[in-house]
Amino acid sequence: MKKISIALAAALISSTSAMAASLAPADITVALIYGIKGDPFYVTMEKGARAKAEELGIKLVADGPSQWNPQLQTPLIDAMIAKKVNGMVAVPNDPTAMVPVLERAFQSGIAIATADTFVGDGDYKDGTVNFPVSAVSSDNFAGGKVACEALIDAMGGKGSLYILVSTPNVPSDTLRRDGCKAAVDATGGAVKLAGVDYTQSNATNATNLTQAALQRDKEIGAIFGGNLFSAQGAAAATRTANLQGTVKIASFDAPEEAIASLKDGTIDIVIAQQPAEIGAVAVQAVFDSLTGKTDIPAKVAVPFVTITRDNVDTPDAQAAIYKAK
């Protein structure tokens, strides 16, 4: 993977900052390119990004693809380059495929931060890709591990655990998957991994995959749904099989549907990211870069909130629920 030289990256960042510094905040436009249209996670992220933009006195424009697909996301970024936005917060649909278009944006003078997922290896200081100013996301490995530790406890520490995540290559997915695997491995064989399947952020795929897994392995006692669509599909499959409440389900993501499923007993634990905070922190990082600040953290891990039936009605849990509108 091509890496921009440190000297060239520094020169481009300096040039971008110098140009933006001559602008009033009202003349600065930052684009948010989110992961997929209509996902409550990204709806909530946009709310946080817009609130931060309003606080800073800058403009924010937002767009995203109808599917999680780098071929659909790339032209949206090209369109923002053509609009000559000053900064960009991007949720890359692929850590490798999205590098060229984001590099084009950077070389055109756009300050870039990534949110939720990243490009390259995510180490923008010493890693394979170094032009984004910051990577802002949840600690996905820790979230997957915590969720699956809770599932293992709910299973009584034995049986099989099945993992569903969206894709095999997007960093947020693979980190959640690997965190869950680490929790399974820590049982020393008392809990077995029933398999890992990939849903492509499609609830119907998740339902079909879960139905097949439940037929294949009668010992499945828990399912980790690594994103909204995976958990929704798994919940639908357990309802069809009359296994709701028997097979424990964790949802990584906290839309209102997941909370309803938590309350009716279909889902047992919800890991809520804080997408509004992720969006706000990423916009702040871009703005700081544009205004010449140099002490911007290259990586920010935004904490998550664990929601169960015991704490779902508390203010902290209610504040963490994603909003669809």
Side-chain angles (χ1 to χ4, degrees):
M1 185 180 295
K2 181 181 177 183
K3 180 175 178 178
I4 296 177
S5 73
I6 293 175
L8 176 57
L12 286 167
I13 290 170
S14 177
S15 174
T16 299
S17 297
M19 287 187 292
S22 65
L23 298 173
D27 295 324
I28 293 176
T29 299
V30 172
L32 169 63
I33 302 294
Y34 47 78
I36 185 170
K37 195 181 295 290
D39 185 331
F41 178 88
Y42 295 117
V43 172
T44 307
M45 179 185 286
E46 183 177 340
K47 287 179 181 292
R50 287 196 180 280
K52 175 58 69 172
E54 183 176 349
E55 174 191 322
L56 296 171
I58 64 177
K59 298 173 185 174
L60 185 109
V61 294
D63 203 355
S66 59
Q67 301 174 40
W68 188 276
N69 185 328
Q71 293 181 342
L72 298 178
Q73 194 178 47
T74 293
L76 301 180
I77 294 175
D78 278 325
M80 293 300 179
I81 296 172
K83 289 180 180 178
K84 299 185 178 181
V85 299
N86 306 101
M88 182 179 295
V89 174
V91 179
N93 276 187
D94 186 279
T96 302
M98 296 308 298
V99 171
V101 68
L102 288 172
E103 187 174 329
R104 285 200 298 275
F106 175 70
Q107 290 184 338
S108 74
I110 298 172
I112 295 170
T114 58
D116 185 36
T117 65
F118 51 77
V119 286
D121 57 9
D123 182 355
Y124 297 157
K125 183 178 179 182
D126 301 310
T128 57
V129 174
N130 63 347
F131 59 84
V133 65
S134 188
V136 184
S137 69
S138 303
D139 186 338
N140 288 291
F141 183 91
K145 188 169 184 289
V146 166
C148 289
E149 286 172 344
L151 285 175
I152 289 166
D153 285 344
M155 294 166 63
K158 60 183 179 180
S160 295
L161 190 152
Y162 177 53
I163 298 175
L164 282 172
V165 293
S166 182
T167 66
N169 63 335
V170 172
S172 55
D173 291 330
T174 57
L175 287 167
R176 294 170 200 171
R177 176 199 67 195
D178 293 346
C180 186
K181 283 183 174 181
V184 172
D185 290 344
T187 69
V191 173
K192 297 179 181 179
L193 183 63
V196 180
D197 281 319
Y198 302 96
T199 67
Q200 302 302 318
S201 286
N202 184 293
T204 300
N205 289 346
T207 298
N208 293 337
L209 290 166
T210 301
Q211 288 173 335
L214 292 170
Q215 287 294 318
R216 186 170 63 243
D217 186 344
K218 303 297 185 182
E219 298 301 314
I220 291 176
I223 301 170
F224 173 53
N227 72 343
L228 160 66
F229 304 104
S230 298
Q232 283 180 331
T238 59
R239 283 194 294 268
T240 299
N242 292 318
L243 291 172
Q244 63 188 90
T246 301
V247 175
K248 307 300 182 181
I249 298 176
S251 172
F252 201 111
D253 273 329
E256 292 165 322
E257 300 96 316
I259 301 304
S261 294
L262 178 72
K263 289 183 174 181
D264 72 19
T266 307
I267 287 177
D268 299 274
I269 183 171
V270 174
I271 301 296
Q273 303 183 76
Q274 298 192 69
E277 182 70 9
I278 291 171
V281 171
V283 168
Q284 183 72 60
V286 168
F287 180 79
D288 288 347
S289 177
L290 288 169
T291 52
K293 291 190 178 180
T294 58
D295 58 345
I296 304 166
K299 183 176 289 188
V300 179
V302 174
F304 50 83
V305 177
T306 301
I307 304 176
T308 66
R309 279 185 285 278
D310 292 333
N311 72 357
V312 66
D313 292 321
T314 64
D316 286 348
Q318 287 294 306
I321 297 170
Y322 310 166
K323 306 303 180 187
K325 295 180 181 179

